[in-house]
Each structure stands twice: as C-alpha cells, then as structure tokens.
Amino acid sequence: MNRFPPNAIASLVGEAPPRHDLAESLGPDLRFGALFDDPHEAGALAALPLSYASAAGDPALRAAIAAVHGGGADEVVVTVGGMHALFLLAFTLCGRGDEAVITSPVFPLARHALQAVGAEIRTLPLHFDDGYQPDLEALRALLSPRTRLVSLASPQNPSGVALPEASLRAVLALMQQHAPQARLLVDETYREAHYGGTPAAPSAIALDQRVVSVASLSKCHGAPGLRIGWAITRDAALREQLVTAKFNTVICCSPLDEAAALRLLQRRGHLLAERAAHLAANLALTAQWARDEAALVDWVRPDAGALCCVRMKPAVFDEAAVARFHAALPALGLRIGDGRWFGESARVFRLGFGLPPTAGLADALQALSSALRQAAGGYDRRD
C-alpha cells in the first residue's frame, strides 16, 4: 500500500544532480570547514557539503551496509536510526485494521510504532522458562489473511536470545500458509554484538524475499549519536515505498552522520573485534555472578548483545520482596531494566552488562547482590 503518494519532487534528493540545477530552493551549500576559524581543524570533512543527502542514503554507505548483510546496495534504505526504520515499515505496511504480530517481552517502541498507525496487534508471548524461544503453534493461531507484518527480533531485546535459522524458516512457512500477504521483519540490531572469536550469525535477509532486516549503528558499534539505521528488503516495490515514506517524514539523513557512519563501517572489523573482546569478558563475569547467586536468581544466557534477562526466584521473592528490591536500587546507585518496560513481570529485569568497564561491572554486580540480599532478607519463608 502507498501511504504517501509518489511525487517527482523527490528527485531533488536523488543521487546524481544535473549539471545545471535550477529546480532547487536554496543557496550554495555550506561546507563543514566553514564552521571553524581554521578549516584544517575539520580534517578530511572540511570539504563535505552540508547539503541535502540522498533520500535513499549515500550510495557508498548503502554499499557498505549491504556488504555486512550479504545484499546489494539497491536493497538498502538508510534511516534516522533503527527506530525510524521500524516506524516506516509499520506505517507503510499496516493500515488501520490490518493485523500485526509482535512478541512480548519486546522493545516497547517497536510495539508503539504499530499502535501509532492503528494496527490491530496480536501478541506472541515469549517465556523465560522456554529461553524466550517462540512457540510456533501459538504463532499459527495468531496469523490470518489480515496479517500484514510479523515483527521479531534476533537477538531479542531484552534477552539477547537469537532465533535459529530453522525457527525463522518455520515462521516463513506458517506465514505462507496462513498469512500470505505478510512480511517478516527481523530486527537484527544486536546481531554483530558477538562474544570474543565467535562469529556473528548470518543476516536473515537471505532467507526469503518477504524478510525485511532492520538494524543500526547504535548497539553493536556503540554509535547511537550518529542516528544511522537501515532497512534492507529484496522487494523493489517495498523499498521504493520506504524511500518515499522517508522523504515525506525526514527528507534525508544528515550528511555528517552518513560520512561518519561510512568511516565507521570502513573500520568495522577492528572496532567490532575490540568490542567483542570486551563483551566476552563482561559476559564471563556476569555468568560467574549468576552461578554465585543461583540461590536467588535464574538467568537466560544471551546469544549476542550487551544484555540478558535475570529472574528473582519465586521461592525466595514474593511480590513484597520484589517491590523491596526495586525500592533498594536508588540508594545503591543502581539502575536495571525493569521487566515491566518490556511487558515482562517485575521479578524479571534486563541486566545490561556491556556498558561498564569490566572492573566497574564487578562493582555493579556486587551492589546488585546487595540489593537482592536486602530484599530477600525480609522475605517471610513460612510454608
């Protein structure tokens, strides 16, 4: 469906301007170097024009993104962060009354985008005790000819759990049978946040033309301030609709952000290797903490990402003890990802182990143990 009508004015932000451009509405482009008393302070970016960028995204940047996912540059739409891509897909694919399937727990903004466009949301519960893997029979019951989008994340937020290729293929088979007009959105924002020498899982984009991959530079690469994300689709018509929707919402991304993003991806191997070593060390520390505190908590080991889910044991923490735990955090200088943010229960929390240095994480986990023990100490253990 075309939520925005196509208009040839979008050619103003095409990739190759004509020799004589008399259609524009502005004066000469300012150069980045003009913002400095000494243009040399701007370095290699001094000559970068602060003009409108391409609506689809800088061709070199799209080629770099495509190379990471095993696709082609003409399959990529660069967006203002991954959230922009999620919104554009919701807006483009789901009209009022159309159905969309999304999991719970989930990154709340992914659900909010579907709510904002009036989609009828059907929720697929994911359970801690099942390692947050989807129940395919439960999914089958949610699909219908009115389904336009099935939204999954791999690895997931908040758990860091990835979906095996076999599961994704099974989802596609169910969609083919029960929701033939639906697309499968796979949010792969954490895919490259792997641990140590373990390679990242391949992108889901190669599985089927119905798959749309969304990701960004925010999580794996540590650059949320660049506000660069992307959607990748092998459906040329859908890609064109996404470009049109992007043009009608933000016109284009910042050329400064795109230039920095291209530089980042050119150094991607080195940067990701450093981050993989850090994540591996912090994951090992977190795993040891979970073993040490096994009397109080359970956890689900993540497959990738800087996060995992921890659950306070029901046998130790009743509802009052869970409330005491949350109340104890501020005095200890602690913040955790409350499970209720994501549609989980209050006894589950997201532990973000990737941000602190390893020594700082050790201190934080010690404080977390203190909060748990304070809360558990007041628990009435009567049978």
Side-chain angles (χ1 to χ4, degrees):
M1 61 187 301
N2 289 312
R3 298 297 297 273
F4 287 111
N7 191 305
I9 195 173
S11 65
L12 291 175
V13 287
E15 295 176 9
R19 180 182 177 189
H20 303 294
D21 192 354
L22 301 181
E24 262 300 355
S25 59
L26 41 73
D29 294 325
L30 189 70
R31 303 283 168 168
F32 185 59
L35 304 182
F36 300 83
D37 291 332
D38 180 357
H40 290 95
E41 293 179 43
L45 292 176
L48 179 72
L50 300 182
S51 57
Y52 286 117
S54 162
D58 175 71
L61 176 58
R62 287 191 283 112
I65 292 168
V68 172
H69 290 263
D74 59 352
E75 299 168 353
V76 178
V77 181
V78 181
T79 58
V80 185
M83 190 58 232
H84 187 214
L86 293 177
F87 173 77
L88 292 181
L89 283 161
F91 191 87
T92 300
L93 295 174
C94 298
R96 189 165 297 277
D98 289 332
E99 293 178 0
V101 177
I102 194 166
T103 62
S104 180
V106 71
F107 177 56
L109 274 63
R111 186 181 186 93
H112 295 169
L114 293 167
Q115 291 172 328
V117 302
E120 292 186 12
I121 299 175
R122 313 197 74 184
T123 302
L124 176 65
L126 304 177
H127 302 289
F128 187 100
D129 288 327
D130 296 331
Y132 293 112
Q133 291 294 334
D135 181 332
L136 296 179
E137 285 303 312
L139 174 61
R140 183 197 303 271
L142 299 177
L143 297 173
S144 84
R146 293 173 56 200
T147 307
R148 295 295 179 267
L149 186 66
V150 176
S151 179
L152 303 176
S154 182
Q156 302 158 355
N157 184 359
S159 70
V161 170
L163 303 179
E165 181 180 320
S167 293
L168 292 173
R169 290 190 182 277
V171 169
L172 286 163
L174 289 174
M175 289 167 56
Q176 181 65 38
Q177 184 177 2
H178 300 285
Q181 297 187 59
R183 312 295 176 93
L184 176 60
L185 187 165
V186 183
D187 185 337
E188 299 185 307
T189 297
Y190 290 97
R191 182 178 67 87
E192 290 199 287
H194 53 94
Y195 307 129
T198 304
S203 172
I205 195 64
L207 295 180
D208 194 281
Q209 190 174 17
R210 292 168 293 166
V211 174
V212 183
S213 170
V214 168
S216 75
L217 297 180
S218 297
K219 306 298 184 182
C220 302
H221 305 82
L226 288 181
R227 306 314 306 139
I228 291 293
W230 52 85
I232 306 177
T233 174
R234 294 186 165 176
D235 183 329
L238 175 58
R239 179 184 181 274
E240 187 58 35
Q241 290 174 38
L242 293 173
V243 172
T244 300
K246 176 189 172 183
F247 176 73
N248 278 270
T249 52
V250 299
I251 300 181
C252 64
C253 295
S254 159
L256 274 172
D257 283 359
E258 291 195 342
L262 177 59
R263 178 63 175 160
L264 187 158
L265 290 177
Q266 289 169 341
R267 293 175 52 80
R268 167 179 161 272
H270 168 71
L271 295 172
L272 288 181
E274 287 185 344
R275 299 178 71 80
H278 169 73
L279 289 178
N282 280 19
L283 175 62
L285 188 60
T286 302
Q288 183 60 55
W289 174 84
R291 288 191 291 270
D292 292 343
E293 300 295 357
L296 299 178
V297 299
D298 297 307
W299 78 311
V300 176
R301 187 182 182 94
D303 296 304
L307 69 178
C308 64
C309 279
V310 176
R311 182 176 64 185
M312 291 173 268
K313 289 194 169 182
V316 180
F317 296 86
D318 62 6
E319 290 186 8
V322 170
R324 287 195 298 270
F325 167 75
H326 287 284
L329 298 177
L332 293 167
L334 274 174
R335 180 170 63 182
I336 49 86
D338 191 322
R340 291 168 291 191
W341 296 355
F342 310 97
E344 253 287 9
S345 74
R347 71 172 57 254
V348 175
F349 58 89
R350 185 181 73 180
L351 195 164
F353 59 79
L355 180 62
T358 302
L361 177 61
D363 292 340
L365 292 174
Q366 184 176 2
L368 183 57
S369 292
S370 296
L372 288 165
R373 294 184 185 285
Q374 286 180 32
Y379 177 58
D380 186 346
R381 298 178 184 272
R382 290 173 297 178
D383 292 333

